[in-house]
Amino acid sequence: MAGFILNAQKMWDEVLINADPRVEDWFMMSSFVPSLVICVLYVIIVLLGPSLMANRKPLDIKNVLLVYNLGMVALSTYIFMEFLLSGWATGYSLHCQPVDYSNSKAAMRMASACWWFYISKFIELFDTIFFIMRKKFRQVSFLHVFHHGIMPFSWWFGVKFVPGGFGTFHALLNSFIHLMMYTYYGLAALGPQYQKYLWWKKYMTKMQLTQFILCLIHASQLLYMDCNYPTLFAYWIALYAGIFLVLFANFYHQSYISHKSKPQSNGAVQNGVKEKSN
């Protein structure tokens, strides 16, 4: 057992040789353990939460939700703009785009945008906690939990090794989707009188599906293109996009095609989950 641990440590040390030294001292970046622990705790809360709330009344946290969603709109907008201004609107290629590991202003700005995107994925775990506090257990679906639970940990590796370049295309799209989603979700939390502004519920899921299709097409380029970008990360992005394309397509089919004859409640869409307004 000791030998196995030593060999694993040796292999990990060899992997770390390729880590980006610029982010070594950034918050949460020296080790993947804190990210892993938080994601595991998140799953534990999801499993235990319904039992803990079973004999309690749903919590009225409307004001908390309003502040939270407004904050997430602001953060998602900031991250989206930073991805644009540090690369995707200032010269990044949609084809081969290596990571700039220099200390130039643009390169550091892109690395910072990646780090903020990574941090935002931890904040988004509160989506699920708020569902549980309000006893909206049906909203805590496999799709919802899987999406939230895997993103923070997987993005630690993105920031640690490739904070920029080709792989940030999906983060650019995702940050835009989230600023739209939290805008929608915030309006839904205001109450029934705002339902007239929520006519675009169905289109949020379509936007999410489009996001995954674009990510698949973009990532697949490295299957036949020579590019100074680690193909392992491109494969991971393609796999991730493919899995969620299937899951979100199934959600769309269940919600808007197979059940289209049933009355649909006006509510927000949270990572493929419809949330009834309060």
Side-chain angles (χ1 to χ4, degrees), residues 255-273:
S255 300
Y256 302 112
I257 298 178
S258 64
H259 295 164
K260 66 181 179 180
S261 61
K262 297 181 180 180
Q264 296 289 329
S265 61
N266 285 324
V269 176
Q270 175 67 9
N271 293 312
V273 176

Side-chain angles (χ1 to χ4, degrees), residues 67-82:
V67 173
Y68 172 75
N69 285 298
L70 179 62
M72 291 307 298
V73 169
L75 179 59
S76 298
T77 301
Y78 170 76
I79 294 171
F80 175 65
M81 293 303 300
E82 285 299 288

Side-chain angles (χ1 to χ4, degrees), residues 158-225:
V159 179
K160 187 70 173 180
F161 295 97
V162 284
F166 185 91
T168 59
F169 177 72
H170 78 282
L172 170 76
L173 297 181
N174 187 254
S175 57
F176 174 75
I177 293 294
H178 278 223
L179 78 87
M180 297 295 293
M181 183 184 69
Y182 282 109
T183 298
Y184 190 103
Y185 206 48
L187 287 172
L190 290 173
Q193 64 271 33
Y194 286 86
Q195 296 302 309
K196 60 184 178 181
Y197 301 113
L198 302 179
W199 54 268
W200 42 297
K201 172 183 63 175
K202 180 177 180 179
Y203 299 100
M204 280 303 306
T205 306
K206 286 186 175 182
M207 290 172 63
Q208 290 167 319
L209 288 169
T210 302
Q211 168 195 199
F212 297 125
I213 292 171
L214 291 175
C215 288
L216 265 176
I217 294 172
H218 182 254
S220 66
Q221 296 179 92
L222 290 199
L223 298 178
Y224 58 86
M225 177 194 304

Side-chain angles (χ1 to χ4, degrees), residues 38-228:
I38 292 173
C39 290
V40 170
L41 288 175
Y42 166 76
V43 174
I44 293 174
I45 290 172
V46 168
L47 294 175
L48 297 180
S51 297
L52 294 174
M53 290 296 298
N55 298 319
R56 293 177 171 85
K57 293 182 178 180
L59 298 180
D60 182 5
I61 54 172
K62 180 178 179 180
N63 291 334
V64 174
L65 289 175
L66 290 175
V67 173
Y68 172 75
N69 285 298
L70 179 62
M72 291 307 298
V73 169
L75 179 59
S76 298
T77 301
Y78 170 76
I79 294 171
F80 175 65
M81 293 303 300
E82 285 299 288
F83 276 130
L84 283 176
L85 297 175
S86 61
W88 289 104
T90 57
Y92 260 35
S93 171
L94 283 171
H95 302 292
C96 176
Q97 182 60 56
V99 180
D100 183 354
Y101 289 104
S102 74
N103 289 310
S104 69
K105 183 177 180 180
M108 293 303 297
R109 188 174 186 179
M110 175 59 79
S112 178
C114 291
W115 181 84
W116 275 109
F117 184 80
Y118 158 72
I119 292 297
S120 74
K121 298 306 159 190
F122 290 104
I123 301 174
E124 289 169 10
L125 299 182
F126 281 100
D127 293 349
T128 317
I129 294 173
F130 292 148
F131 279 145
I132 293 173
M133 292 170 66
R134 296 158 61 212
K135 301 187 74 168
K136 303 287 187 179
F137 302 140
R138 291 185 60 187
Q139 315 304 332
V140 188
S141 65
F142 171 79
L143 168 57
H144 177 91
V145 174
F146 182 61
H147 176 80
H148 279 68
I150 197 173
M151 280 293 283
F153 181 64
S154 64
W155 252 85
W156 182 88
F157 292 92
V159 179
K160 187 70 173 180
F161 295 97
V162 284
F166 185 91
T168 59
F169 177 72
H170 78 282
L172 170 76
L173 297 181
N174 187 254
S175 57
F176 174 75
I177 293 294
H178 278 223
L179 78 87
M180 297 295 293
M181 183 184 69
Y182 282 109
T183 298
Y184 190 103
Y185 206 48
L187 287 172
L190 290 173
Q193 64 271 33
Y194 286 86
Q195 296 302 309
K196 60 184 178 181
Y197 301 113
L198 302 179
W199 54 268
W200 42 297
K201 172 183 63 175
K202 180 177 180 179
Y203 299 100
M204 280 303 306
T205 306
K206 286 186 175 182
M207 290 172 63
Q208 290 167 319
L209 288 169
T210 302
Q211 168 195 199
F212 297 125
I213 292 171
L214 291 175
C215 288
L216 265 176
I217 294 172
H218 182 254
S220 66
Q221 296 179 92
L222 290 199
L223 298 178
Y224 58 86
M225 177 194 304
D226 289 329
C227 183
N228 186 23

